[in-house]
Amino acid sequence: MAVSPQRPLVAVLCLLLYFLRSGLSVPDPRQREALMKLEASMQTGGQVVLTDAEQRLDALLFKMKQEEIRKADFPPSMHFFQARHLIDSSPIFSLMQKMPKGGALHVHDLSMVSVDWLVKNVTYRPNCYMCCTDNRSIRFIFSSRWPKALPRCSAWTLLENLRAKTVNVTDLDNSIEGNLTLFTHQDPESVYPSQDVVWDRFEQGFLALWGLVTYAPVFRDYYHEGLTQFYADNVMYLELRALLPEIYELDGSFHDTAFTLKTYQEVTTRFTDQHPDFFGARIIFTINRGVNLSVMVRAVEEAMKLQRDFPDFMAGFDMVGREDSGRPLWFFREALSLPAERGVTLPFFFHAGETDLEGTDVDQNLLDALLFNTSRIGHGFALLRHPVARDMSRKRGVAVEVCPISNQVTKLVKDLRNHPAAALMSEDHPMVISSDDPAMFGSSGLSHDFYEAFVGFGGLSSHLGTLKQLAMNSIRYSSLSPPQQEKALALWQRRWDKFISENTR
Ligand SMILES: *[C@@H]1O[C@H](CO)[C@@H](O)[C@H](O)[C@H]1NC(C)=O
Ligand SMILES: *[C@@H]1O[C@H](CO)[C@@H](O)[C@H](O)[C@H]1NC(C)=O
Ligand SMILES: *[C@@H]1O[C@H](CO)[C@@H](O)[C@H](O)[C@H]1NC(C)=O
Ligand SMILES: *[C@@H]1O[C@H](CO)[C@@H](O)[C@H](O)[C@H]1NC(C)=O
Ligand SMILES: *[C@@H]1O[C@H](CO)[C@@H](O)[C@H](O)[C@H]1NC(C)=O
Ligand SMILES: *[C@@H]1O[C@H](CO)[C@@H](O)[C@H](O)[C@H]1NC(C)=O
Ligand SMILES: [Zn+2]
Protein backbone atom coordinates (compact mmCIF):
# COMPACT_ATOMS: atom_id res chain seq x y z
CA MET A 1 0.00 0.00 0.00
CA ALA A 2 1.36 3.40 -0.98
CA VAL A 3 1.75 5.89 1.84
CA SER A 4 0.41 9.29 1.02
CA PRO A 5 3.16 11.92 1.06
CA GLN A 6 0.68 14.17 2.83
CA ARG A 7 0.65 11.99 5.89
CA PRO A 8 3.55 13.43 7.88
CA LEU A 9 2.26 16.93 7.28
CA VAL A 10 -1.22 15.92 8.45
CA ALA A 11 0.33 14.40 11.54
CA VAL A 12 2.24 17.60 12.31
CA LEU A 13 -0.90 19.68 11.87
CA CYS A 14 -2.88 17.39 14.17
CA LEU A 15 -0.12 17.63 16.73
CA LEU A 16 -0.13 21.41 16.42
CA LEU A 17 -3.89 21.52 16.92
CA TYR A 18 -3.53 19.28 19.92
CA PHE A 19 -0.99 21.57 21.54
CA LEU A 20 -2.91 24.67 20.62
CA ARG A 21 -6.00 23.24 22.26
CA SER A 22 -4.04 22.30 25.35
CA GLY A 23 -2.70 25.85 25.52
CA LEU A 24 0.94 25.06 24.53
CA SER A 25 2.55 26.39 21.42
CA VAL A 26 5.10 24.40 19.46
CA PRO A 27 7.49 26.60 17.50
CA ASP A 28 6.95 26.55 13.78
CA PRO A 29 8.95 23.60 12.39
CA ARG A 30 9.64 25.48 9.15
CA GLN A 31 11.13 28.31 11.10
CA ARG A 32 13.17 25.81 13.08
CA GLU A 33 14.40 24.25 9.86
CA ALA A 34 15.33 27.67 8.47
CA LEU A 35 17.27 28.59 11.61
CA MET A 36 19.18 25.32 11.55
CA LYS A 37 20.07 25.89 7.90
CA LEU A 38 21.19 29.41 8.70
CA GLU A 39 23.53 28.21 11.43
CA ALA A 40 24.95 25.47 9.24
CA SER A 41 25.63 27.99 6.48
CA MET A 42 27.57 30.25 8.84
CA GLN A 43 30.21 27.70 9.79
CA THR A 44 33.58 27.16 8.14
CA GLY A 45 32.81 25.53 4.80
CA GLY A 46 29.11 26.29 5.18
CA GLN A 47 29.03 28.06 1.82
CA VAL A 48 31.07 25.48 -0.06
CA VAL A 49 29.04 23.80 -2.79
CA LEU A 50 30.01 20.15 -3.16
CA THR A 51 30.07 18.27 -6.45
CA ASP A 52 28.21 14.95 -6.76
CA ALA A 53 31.40 13.00 -6.14
CA GLU A 54 32.24 15.19 -3.14
CA GLN A 55 28.77 14.62 -1.73
CA ARG A 56 29.30 10.86 -1.95
CA LEU A 57 32.58 11.12 -0.05
CA ASP A 58 30.92 13.46 2.45
CA ALA A 59 28.17 10.92 3.13
CA LEU A 60 30.81 8.25 3.67
CA LEU A 61 32.73 10.52 6.08
CA PHE A 62 29.55 11.23 8.02
CA LYS A 63 28.89 7.52 8.47
CA MET A 64 32.48 6.92 9.57
CA LYS A 65 32.25 9.74 12.09
CA GLN A 66 29.03 8.40 13.56
CA GLU A 67 30.72 5.06 14.05
CA GLU A 68 33.77 6.68 15.60
CA ILE A 69 31.61 8.61 18.10
CA ARG A 70 29.85 5.44 19.19
CA LYS A 71 33.13 3.84 20.27
CA ALA A 72 33.88 3.55 23.97
CA ASP A 73 37.32 5.12 23.50
CA PHE A 74 36.59 8.25 21.51
CA PRO A 75 40.05 9.54 20.50
CA PRO A 76 39.45 13.34 20.68
CA SER A 77 38.27 12.99 24.27
CA MET A 78 41.53 11.25 25.23
CA HIS A 79 45.09 12.51 25.56
CA PHE A 80 46.73 12.29 22.14
CA PHE A 81 49.55 10.10 23.50
CA GLN A 82 46.99 7.49 24.47
CA ALA A 83 44.75 8.05 21.48
CA ARG A 84 47.40 7.93 18.76
CA HIS A 85 47.23 4.20 18.07
CA LEU A 86 43.44 4.40 17.86
CA ILE A 87 43.61 7.36 15.48
CA ASP A 88 46.21 5.60 13.33
CA SER A 89 43.80 2.74 12.70
CA SER A 90 40.80 4.99 12.02
CA PRO A 91 39.49 5.07 8.43
CA ILE A 92 38.85 8.80 8.83
CA PHE A 93 42.51 9.32 9.66
CA SER A 94 43.55 7.41 6.60
CA LEU A 95 41.45 9.80 4.50
CA MET A 96 42.97 12.78 6.33
CA GLN A 97 46.42 11.51 5.33
CA LYS A 98 45.49 11.18 1.67
CA MET A 99 43.68 14.51 1.56
CA PRO A 100 45.65 17.43 0.05
CA LYS A 101 45.73 19.76 3.05
CA GLY A 102 47.36 22.77 1.43
CA GLY A 103 49.96 24.54 3.57
CA ALA A 104 51.28 24.07 7.10
CA LEU A 105 51.50 27.63 8.38
CA HIS A 106 52.54 27.06 12.00
CA VAL A 107 55.45 24.64 12.37
CA HIS A 108 58.76 25.11 14.19
CA ASP A 109 62.18 24.38 12.75
CA LEU A 110 63.52 22.03 15.44
CA SER A 111 60.45 19.84 15.60
CA MET A 112 59.55 19.10 12.00
CA VAL A 113 61.26 15.70 11.66
CA SER A 114 60.26 12.57 13.54
CA VAL A 115 62.75 11.76 16.32
CA ASP A 116 63.02 8.21 15.05
CA TRP A 117 64.93 9.55 12.04
CA LEU A 118 67.19 11.65 14.29
CA VAL A 119 68.14 8.67 16.44
CA LYS A 120 68.53 6.13 13.63
CA ASN A 121 70.18 8.39 11.11
CA VAL A 122 71.81 11.37 12.85
CA THR A 123 73.13 9.91 16.11
CA TYR A 124 74.75 7.05 14.15
CA ARG A 125 76.93 9.44 12.19
CA PRO A 126 80.64 9.59 13.11
CA ASN A 127 82.03 12.20 15.58
CA CYS A 128 78.80 12.42 17.57
CA TYR A 129 79.37 13.10 21.28
CA MET A 130 76.78 13.02 24.07
CA CYS A 131 76.73 14.11 27.72
CA CYS A 132 74.08 13.77 30.46
CA THR A 133 73.03 16.84 32.42
CA ASP A 134 72.68 16.67 36.19
CA ASN A 135 68.93 16.50 35.82
CA ARG A 136 68.86 13.59 33.39
CA SER A 137 68.60 15.44 30.11
CA ILE A 138 71.20 15.06 27.34
CA ARG A 139 73.27 17.27 25.01
CA PHE A 140 75.01 16.51 21.72
CA ILE A 141 77.85 17.88 19.66
CA PHE A 142 79.69 16.80 16.51
CA SER A 143 83.38 17.54 16.74
CA SER A 144 86.66 16.56 15.12
CA ARG A 145 88.40 16.67 18.52
CA TRP A 146 87.28 15.90 22.06
CA PRO A 147 84.81 18.71 22.98
CA LYS A 148 85.23 21.05 25.97
CA ALA A 149 83.16 20.06 29.03
CA LEU A 150 79.80 21.77 29.56
CA PRO A 151 78.79 23.03 33.02
CA ARG A 152 76.36 20.68 34.82
CA CYS A 153 76.87 17.96 32.21
CA SER A 154 78.81 14.70 32.61
CA ALA A 155 81.98 14.19 30.56
CA TRP A 156 81.36 13.88 26.81
CA THR A 157 81.35 10.34 25.46
CA LEU A 158 81.68 9.39 21.85
CA LEU A 159 78.35 7.71 21.05
CA GLU A 160 80.05 5.16 18.85
CA ASN A 161 82.14 4.00 21.86
CA LEU A 162 79.18 4.10 24.21
CA ARG A 163 77.13 1.91 21.87
CA ALA A 164 80.01 -0.58 21.56
CA LYS A 165 80.10 -0.91 25.36
CA THR A 166 76.31 -1.03 25.85
CA VAL A 167 74.65 -4.43 26.29
CA ASN A 168 71.23 -3.39 24.99
CA VAL A 169 71.59 -0.66 22.35
CA THR A 170 67.82 -0.58 21.77
CA ASP A 171 67.36 0.57 25.34
CA LEU A 172 69.99 3.29 24.88
CA ASP A 173 68.40 4.47 21.63
CA ASN A 174 64.97 4.53 23.27
CA SER A 175 66.29 6.67 26.10
CA ILE A 176 67.82 9.11 23.60
CA GLU A 177 64.55 9.20 21.70
CA GLY A 178 62.67 9.80 24.96
CA ASN A 179 64.74 12.94 25.51
CA LEU A 180 63.93 14.38 22.08
CA THR A 181 60.15 14.11 22.29
CA LEU A 182 57.39 14.58 24.85
CA PHE A 183 55.59 11.50 23.53
CA THR A 184 55.45 8.67 26.05
CA HIS A 185 53.75 5.31 26.38
CA GLN A 186 53.36 5.90 30.13
CA ASP A 187 50.37 7.70 31.62
CA PRO A 188 50.72 11.30 30.33
CA GLU A 189 48.83 12.71 33.34
CA SER A 190 51.42 11.37 35.77
CA VAL A 191 54.48 12.12 33.60
CA TYR A 192 53.22 15.68 32.97
CA PRO A 193 51.22 16.72 36.05
CA SER A 194 51.40 20.46 35.28
CA GLN A 195 52.05 23.01 32.54
CA ASP A 196 55.38 23.81 34.21
CA VAL A 197 56.57 20.23 33.88
CA VAL A 198 55.55 20.02 30.21
CA TRP A 199 57.30 23.26 29.33
CA ASP A 200 60.43 22.30 31.23
CA ARG A 201 60.70 19.00 29.39
CA PHE A 202 59.92 20.85 26.17
CA GLU A 203 62.82 23.24 26.68
CA GLN A 204 65.20 20.45 27.68
CA GLY A 205 64.15 18.58 24.55
CA PHE A 206 65.02 21.55 22.36
CA LEU A 207 68.42 21.92 24.04
CA ALA A 208 69.07 18.23 23.35
CA LEU A 209 68.05 18.64 19.69
CA TRP A 210 70.13 21.78 19.23
CA GLY A 211 73.58 20.20 18.94
CA LEU A 212 72.27 17.51 16.60
CA VAL A 213 70.39 19.71 14.18
CA THR A 214 72.68 22.76 13.96
CA TYR A 215 75.62 20.75 12.63
CA ALA A 216 75.96 21.84 8.97
CA PRO A 217 75.70 18.46 7.16
CA VAL A 218 72.85 17.35 9.46
CA PHE A 219 71.07 20.68 9.10
CA ARG A 220 70.67 20.27 5.33
CA ASP A 221 69.56 16.64 5.60
CA TYR A 222 67.25 17.41 8.52
CA TYR A 223 65.38 20.10 6.63
CA HIS A 224 65.22 17.99 3.49
CA GLU A 225 63.84 15.11 5.55
CA GLY A 226 61.31 17.51 7.12
CA LEU A 227 60.04 18.57 3.69
CA THR A 228 59.92 14.90 2.69
CA GLN A 229 57.78 14.01 5.71
CA PHE A 230 55.33 16.90 5.19
CA TYR A 231 55.13 16.11 1.48
CA ALA A 232 54.39 12.46 2.28
CA ASP A 233 51.54 13.71 4.45
CA ASN A 234 50.12 15.56 1.42
CA VAL A 235 51.11 19.04 2.56
CA MET A 236 52.22 21.13 -0.41
CA TYR A 237 53.56 24.29 1.21
CA LEU A 238 55.24 25.28 4.45
CA GLU A 239 55.77 28.46 6.44
CA LEU A 240 58.46 27.51 8.90
CA ARG A 241 59.10 29.43 12.08
CA ALA A 242 62.87 29.26 12.32
CA LEU A 243 65.36 30.49 14.91
CA LEU A 244 68.02 30.68 12.20
CA PRO A 245 70.75 29.39 14.53
CA GLU A 246 74.40 29.78 13.68
CA ILE A 247 75.28 26.51 11.96
CA TYR A 248 78.56 24.87 13.03
CA GLU A 249 81.16 22.71 11.31
CA LEU A 250 83.16 19.79 12.64
CA ASP A 251 86.14 22.06 13.43
CA GLY A 252 83.97 24.22 15.71
CA SER A 253 83.66 27.18 13.33
CA PHE A 254 80.29 28.91 12.85
CA HIS A 255 78.39 30.39 9.92
CA ASP A 256 76.23 33.49 10.14
CA THR A 257 72.43 33.79 10.08
CA ALA A 258 72.33 34.62 6.37
CA PHE A 259 74.08 31.30 5.68
CA THR A 260 71.33 29.48 7.56
CA LEU A 261 68.61 31.23 5.58
CA LYS A 262 70.47 30.61 2.32
CA THR A 263 70.76 26.92 3.17
CA TYR A 264 67.02 26.73 3.78
CA GLN A 265 66.43 28.38 0.44
CA GLU A 266 68.79 26.07 -1.46
CA VAL A 267 67.31 22.92 0.05
CA THR A 268 63.77 24.18 -0.67
CA THR A 269 64.66 24.85 -4.30
CA ARG A 270 66.25 21.42 -4.64
CA PHE A 271 63.17 19.81 -3.10
CA THR A 272 60.64 21.63 -5.30
CA ASP A 273 62.75 20.75 -8.36
CA GLN A 274 62.50 17.09 -7.34
CA HIS A 275 58.78 17.35 -6.52
CA PRO A 276 56.98 19.69 -8.94
CA ASP A 277 53.66 19.24 -7.11
CA PHE A 278 55.21 20.73 -3.95
CA PHE A 279 54.77 24.49 -3.97
CA GLY A 280 57.62 25.51 -1.68
CA ALA A 281 58.38 27.05 1.69
CA ARG A 282 58.98 30.41 3.33
CA ILE A 283 60.66 31.32 6.60
CA ILE A 284 59.36 33.29 9.57
CA PHE A 285 62.40 34.38 11.57
CA THR A 286 61.86 33.80 15.31
CA ILE A 287 63.60 34.70 18.55
CA ASN A 288 62.90 33.59 22.11
CA ARG A 289 60.63 35.99 24.00
CA GLY A 290 62.83 35.62 27.07
CA VAL A 291 65.47 38.06 25.72
CA ASN A 292 65.86 41.67 26.85
CA LEU A 293 64.93 44.77 24.87
CA SER A 294 68.37 45.44 23.40
CA VAL A 295 68.65 41.89 22.08
CA MET A 296 65.16 42.23 20.60
CA VAL A 297 66.09 45.49 18.88
CA ARG A 298 69.05 43.75 17.25
CA ALA A 299 66.88 40.81 16.22
CA VAL A 300 64.30 43.10 14.59
CA GLU A 301 67.10 44.93 12.78
CA GLU A 302 68.53 41.63 11.58
CA ALA A 303 65.04 40.55 10.46
CA MET A 304 64.61 43.76 8.44
CA LYS A 305 67.95 43.15 6.77
CA LEU A 306 67.09 39.54 5.93
CA GLN A 307 63.66 40.61 4.67
CA ARG A 308 65.41 43.02 2.30
CA ASP A 309 68.01 40.47 1.15
CA PHE A 310 65.63 37.50 0.76
CA PRO A 311 62.30 39.16 -0.13
CA ASP A 312 60.89 36.06 -1.85
CA PHE A 313 61.87 33.62 0.85
CA MET A 314 61.51 35.50 4.15
CA ALA A 315 57.91 35.80 5.27
CA GLY A 316 58.41 37.84 8.44
CA PHE A 317 59.08 37.80 12.16
CA ASP A 318 57.75 36.20 15.36
CA MET A 319 58.72 35.29 18.94
CA VAL A 320 58.80 31.82 20.45
CA GLY A 321 58.88 30.25 23.90
CA ARG A 322 56.26 29.94 26.59
CA GLU A 323 54.09 33.05 26.64
CA ASP A 324 53.28 32.74 30.34
CA SER A 325 56.92 32.92 31.38
CA GLY A 326 58.29 35.14 28.61
CA ARG A 327 57.87 38.85 28.16
CA PRO A 328 54.66 40.27 26.69
CA LEU A 329 54.66 41.93 23.27
CA TRP A 330 54.05 45.33 24.85
CA PHE A 331 57.39 45.05 26.68
CA PHE A 332 59.08 45.03 23.25
CA ARG A 333 57.01 47.86 21.73
CA GLU A 334 60.04 50.02 20.92
CA ALA A 335 61.69 47.18 19.02
CA LEU A 336 58.51 46.12 17.24
CA SER A 337 57.71 49.62 16.00
CA LEU A 338 61.12 50.05 14.33
CA PRO A 339 60.01 48.73 10.91
CA ALA A 340 57.02 51.12 10.77
CA GLU A 341 59.17 54.03 11.93
CA ARG A 342 61.77 53.33 9.27
CA GLY A 343 59.19 52.71 6.55
CA VAL A 344 60.41 49.13 6.16
CA THR A 345 58.09 46.18 5.55
CA LEU A 346 58.47 43.39 8.09
CA PRO A 347 55.29 41.31 8.43
CA PHE A 348 54.62 39.91 11.91
CA PHE A 349 53.18 36.47 12.67
CA PHE A 350 52.86 36.64 16.43
CA HIS A 351 52.08 33.78 18.75
CA ALA A 352 49.39 35.27 20.99
CA GLY A 353 46.82 34.04 23.44
CA GLU A 354 48.50 30.66 24.01
CA THR A 355 47.43 30.94 27.61
CA ASP A 356 44.64 30.26 30.05
CA LEU A 357 45.77 32.99 32.45
CA GLU A 358 43.03 35.52 31.85
CA GLY A 359 43.75 39.15 32.61
CA THR A 360 47.54 38.91 32.88
CA ASP A 361 49.97 41.06 30.89
CA VAL A 362 50.52 38.08 28.63
CA ASP A 363 46.79 37.80 28.04
CA GLN A 364 46.97 41.23 26.37
CA ASN A 365 49.22 39.81 23.66
CA LEU A 366 46.22 39.17 21.41
CA LEU A 367 45.19 42.79 21.30
CA ASP A 368 48.80 43.97 21.07
CA ALA A 369 49.54 41.55 18.21
CA LEU A 370 46.64 43.11 16.30
CA LEU A 371 47.78 46.63 17.17
CA PHE A 372 51.15 45.76 15.65
CA ASN A 373 49.30 44.64 12.50
CA THR A 374 50.13 40.96 12.82
CA SER A 375 49.40 38.99 9.64
CA ARG A 376 48.18 35.94 11.54
CA ILE A 377 47.77 34.87 15.16
CA GLY A 378 49.65 31.82 16.42
CA HIS A 379 47.22 29.71 18.51
CA GLY A 380 44.84 32.47 19.64
CA PHE A 381 43.62 30.01 22.24
CA ALA A 382 42.29 32.87 24.42
CA LEU A 383 40.59 34.73 21.55
CA LEU A 384 37.03 33.97 22.69
CA ARG A 385 37.64 35.88 25.89
CA HIS A 386 38.58 39.01 23.96
CA PRO A 387 35.59 40.15 21.96
CA VAL A 388 37.37 43.22 20.59
CA ALA A 389 40.40 41.23 19.42
CA ARG A 390 38.10 38.58 17.97
CA ASP A 391 36.20 41.20 16.04
CA MET A 392 39.39 42.85 14.73
CA SER A 393 40.82 39.50 13.69
CA ARG A 394 37.63 38.67 11.82
CA LYS A 395 37.21 42.03 10.11
CA ARG A 396 40.85 42.29 9.06
CA GLY A 397 41.06 38.65 7.96
CA VAL A 398 43.85 37.91 10.43
CA ALA A 399 43.68 34.13 10.60
CA VAL A 400 44.12 32.13 13.77
CA GLU A 401 46.54 29.20 13.49
CA VAL A 402 44.80 26.49 15.50
CA CYS A 403 47.08 23.70 16.76
CA PRO A 404 44.80 21.27 18.64
CA ILE A 405 47.30 18.60 19.74
CA SER A 406 49.80 21.20 20.92
CA ASN A 407 47.14 22.87 23.08
CA GLN A 408 46.20 19.55 24.59
CA VAL A 409 49.78 18.44 25.32
CA THR A 410 50.57 21.79 26.96
CA LYS A 411 47.47 21.32 29.08
CA LEU A 412 45.32 24.22 27.91
CA VAL A 413 42.46 21.85 27.07
CA LYS A 414 41.86 18.24 27.99
CA ASP A 415 39.04 17.02 25.79
CA LEU A 416 39.41 18.26 22.23
CA ARG A 417 35.65 18.45 21.79
CA ASN A 418 35.91 21.46 24.13
CA HIS A 419 38.60 23.33 22.19
CA PRO A 420 37.64 27.02 21.81
CA ALA A 421 38.15 26.77 18.05
CA ALA A 422 34.78 24.97 17.96
CA ALA A 423 33.14 28.37 18.46
CA LEU A 424 35.41 30.03 15.89
CA MET A 425 34.63 27.31 13.38
CA SER A 426 30.88 27.65 13.94
CA GLU A 427 31.05 31.21 12.60
CA ASP A 428 33.70 30.75 9.89
CA HIS A 429 36.27 32.83 11.74
CA PRO A 430 39.44 33.08 9.60
CA MET A 431 41.50 30.08 10.65
CA VAL A 432 43.91 27.36 9.59
CA ILE A 433 44.85 24.06 11.21
CA SER A 434 48.49 23.39 12.02
CA SER A 435 50.72 21.13 14.07
CA ASP A 436 53.21 23.45 15.86
CA ASP A 437 55.84 20.89 16.97
CA PRO A 438 54.78 17.55 15.49
CA ALA A 439 57.94 15.64 16.42
CA MET A 440 57.67 16.76 20.06
CA PHE A 441 54.09 15.48 20.21
CA GLY A 442 54.68 12.31 18.21
CA SER A 443 52.28 13.44 15.49
CA SER A 444 53.04 13.52 11.79
CA GLY A 445 52.65 16.37 9.30
CA LEU A 446 49.17 17.85 9.62
CA SER A 447 46.95 14.75 9.51
CA HIS A 448 46.67 14.06 13.22
CA ASP A 449 45.70 17.68 13.89
CA PHE A 450 43.20 17.63 11.02
CA TYR A 451 41.69 14.51 12.51
CA GLU A 452 41.31 16.15 15.95
CA ALA A 453 39.81 19.29 14.42
CA PHE A 454 37.43 17.42 12.14
CA VAL A 455 36.29 14.69 14.51
CA GLY A 456 36.88 16.49 17.83
CA PHE A 457 35.79 20.11 17.89
CA GLY A 458 34.22 19.84 14.43
CA GLY A 459 31.77 17.28 15.78
CA LEU A 460 29.09 15.98 13.50
CA SER A 461 28.49 19.42 12.01
CA SER A 462 31.84 19.67 10.21
CA HIS A 463 31.84 18.05 6.78
CA LEU A 464 33.87 17.72 3.62
CA GLY A 465 33.13 21.37 2.81
CA THR A 466 34.78 22.31 6.12
CA LEU A 467 37.91 20.37 5.24
CA LYS A 468 37.99 21.88 1.77
CA GLN A 469 37.65 25.37 3.18
CA LEU A 470 40.37 24.77 5.78
CA ALA A 471 42.76 23.58 3.09
CA MET A 472 41.97 26.60 0.90
CA ASN A 473 42.32 28.89 3.93
CA SER A 474 45.89 27.69 4.35
CA ILE A 475 46.73 29.18 0.96
CA ARG A 476 44.53 32.25 1.20
CA TYR A 477 45.97 33.24 4.61
CA SER A 478 49.55 32.38 3.70
CA SER A 479 52.20 35.04 3.12
CA LEU A 480 52.24 34.26 -0.61
CA SER A 481 51.49 37.16 -2.97
CA PRO A 482 48.06 37.09 -4.66
CA PRO A 483 49.42 35.76 -8.00
CA GLN A 484 51.38 33.06 -6.15
CA GLN A 485 48.24 32.15 -4.22
CA GLU A 486 46.37 31.71 -7.49
CA LYS A 487 49.07 29.35 -8.71
CA ALA A 488 49.14 27.41 -5.46
CA LEU A 489 45.37 27.16 -5.40
CA ALA A 490 45.30 25.78 -8.95
CA LEU A 491 47.92 23.18 -7.99
CA TRP A 492 45.97 22.29 -4.87
CA GLN A 493 42.71 21.99 -6.85
CA ARG A 494 44.29 19.46 -9.24
CA ARG A 495 45.46 17.37 -6.30
CA TRP A 496 42.08 17.72 -4.60
CA ASP A 497 40.14 16.55 -7.69
CA LYS A 498 42.44 13.55 -7.92
CA PHE A 499 41.86 12.79 -4.22
CA ILE A 500 38.08 12.94 -4.68
CA SER A 501 38.04 10.73 -7.74
CA GLU A 502 40.36 8.18 -6.14
CA ASN A 503 38.19 7.89 -3.05
CA THR A 504 34.72 7.79 -4.54
CA ARG A 505 35.02 4.78 -6.78
C1 LIG B 1 70.70 9.43 6.60
O1 LIG B 1 70.03 10.36 5.78
C2 LIG B 1 70.74 10.76 4.65
C3 LIG B 1 69.99 11.89 3.99
O2 LIG B 1 68.64 11.57 3.82
C4 LIG B 1 70.94 9.57 3.74
O3 LIG B 1 71.68 9.94 2.60
C5 LIG B 1 71.68 8.49 4.50
O4 LIG B 1 71.78 7.33 3.71
C6 LIG B 1 70.99 8.15 5.81
N1 LIG B 1 71.84 7.30 6.60
C7 LIG B 1 71.38 6.28 7.31
C8 LIG B 1 72.39 5.50 8.08
O5 LIG B 1 70.20 6.00 7.35
C1 LIG C 1 67.57 21.20 34.58
O1 LIG C 1 68.65 22.06 34.73
C2 LIG C 1 68.53 23.30 34.06
C3 LIG C 1 69.80 24.07 34.26
O2 LIG C 1 70.92 23.30 33.90
C4 LIG C 1 67.32 24.04 34.61
O3 LIG C 1 67.16 25.24 33.88
C5 LIG C 1 66.09 23.18 34.45
O4 LIG C 1 64.99 23.81 35.04
C6 LIG C 1 66.30 21.82 35.12
N1 LIG C 1 65.18 20.96 34.83
C7 LIG C 1 64.65 20.16 35.76
C8 LIG C 1 63.57 19.26 35.30
O5 LIG C 1 65.04 20.15 36.91
C1 LIG D 1 66.63 -4.77 24.62
O1 LIG D 1 65.60 -3.97 25.21
C2 LIG D 1 64.40 -4.00 24.46
C3 LIG D 1 63.47 -2.96 25.06
O2 LIG D 1 63.57 -2.90 26.45
C4 LIG D 1 63.85 -5.41 24.50
O3 LIG D 1 62.63 -5.46 23.80
C5 LIG D 1 64.86 -6.34 23.85
O4 LIG D 1 64.43 -7.69 23.97
C6 LIG D 1 66.23 -6.22 24.52
N1 LIG D 1 67.21 -6.92 23.73
C7 LIG D 1 68.11 -7.74 24.26
C8 LIG D 1 69.08 -8.37 23.31
O5 LIG D 1 68.15 -7.95 25.45
C1 LIG E 1 67.23 10.90 28.77
O1 LIG E 1 68.46 10.26 28.64
C2 LIG E 1 69.03 9.86 29.89
C3 LIG E 1 70.38 9.30 29.60
O2 LIG E 1 70.36 8.30 28.63
C4 LIG E 1 68.10 8.85 30.53
O3 LIG E 1 68.61 8.52 31.81
C5 LIG E 1 66.70 9.45 30.71
O4 LIG E 1 65.83 8.47 31.18
C6 LIG E 1 66.22 9.94 29.37
N1 LIG E 1 64.94 10.65 29.55
C7 LIG E 1 63.83 10.26 28.97
C8 LIG E 1 62.62 11.08 29.26
O5 LIG E 1 63.75 9.29 28.24
C1 LIG F 1 70.70 41.85 27.38
O1 LIG F 1 71.05 40.49 27.23
C2 LIG F 1 72.33 40.31 26.68
C3 LIG F 1 72.51 38.82 26.37
O2 LIG F 1 72.02 38.02 27.40
C4 LIG F 1 73.39 40.86 27.63
O3 LIG F 1 74.68 40.70 27.08
C5 LIG F 1 73.10 42.32 27.87
O4 LIG F 1 73.99 42.82 28.85
C6 LIG F 1 71.67 42.54 28.32
N1 LIG F 1 71.39 43.97 28.32
C7 LIG F 1 70.77 44.57 29.32
C8 LIG F 1 70.52 46.02 29.14
O5 LIG F 1 70.39 43.97 30.31
C1 LIG G 1 49.45 49.33 11.48
O1 LIG G 1 48.72 49.66 10.31
C2 LIG G 1 48.14 50.94 10.38
C3 LIG G 1 47.24 51.10 9.18
O2 LIG G 1 47.87 50.68 8.01
C4 LIG G 1 49.26 51.98 10.44
O3 LIG G 1 48.70 53.26 10.54
C5 LIG G 1 50.12 51.69 11.67
O4 LIG G 1 51.23 52.57 11.68
C6 LIG G 1 50.62 50.30 11.67
N1 LIG G 1 51.28 50.04 12.95
C7 LIG G 1 52.45 49.40 13.06
C8 LIG G 1 53.02 49.28 14.42
O5 LIG G 1 53.03 48.92 12.10
ZN1 LIG H 1 54.29 27.65 17.99
Side-chain angles (χ1 to χ4, degrees), residues 130 132 136-138 172 174-176 178-179 201:
M130 183 176 96
C132 302
R136 284 176 30 107
S137 177
I138 50 180
L172 173 63
N174 286 346
S175 90
I176 294 175
N179 275 276
R201 270 289 314 282

Side-chain angles (χ1 to χ4, degrees), residues 28 43 58 109 115 133 143 175 178 197 242 255 303 323 379 415 428 446 461 476 479 486-487 489:
D28 182 350
Q43 68 167 327
D58 185 47
D109 49 355
V115 288
T133 71
S143 179
S175 90
V197 174
H255 298 278
E323 266 183 83
H379 294 287
D415 182 330
D428 193 21
L446 289 184
S461 39
R476 163 146 178 248
S479 69
E486 287 305 310
K487 251 178 89 184
L489 216 49

Side-chain angles (χ1 to χ4, degrees), residues 117 120-122 124-125 221 224-225:
W117 183 84
K120 297 229 167 66
N121 185 303
V122 175
Y124 276 85
R125 296 185 188 205
D221 289 352
H224 193 273
E225 180 64 24

Side-chain angles (χ1 to χ4, degrees), residues 459-472:
L460 277 179
S461 39
S462 67
H463 46 69
L464 190 67
T466 317
L467 294 169
K468 199 174 174 183
Q469 170 95 54
L470 286 170
M472 291 191 293

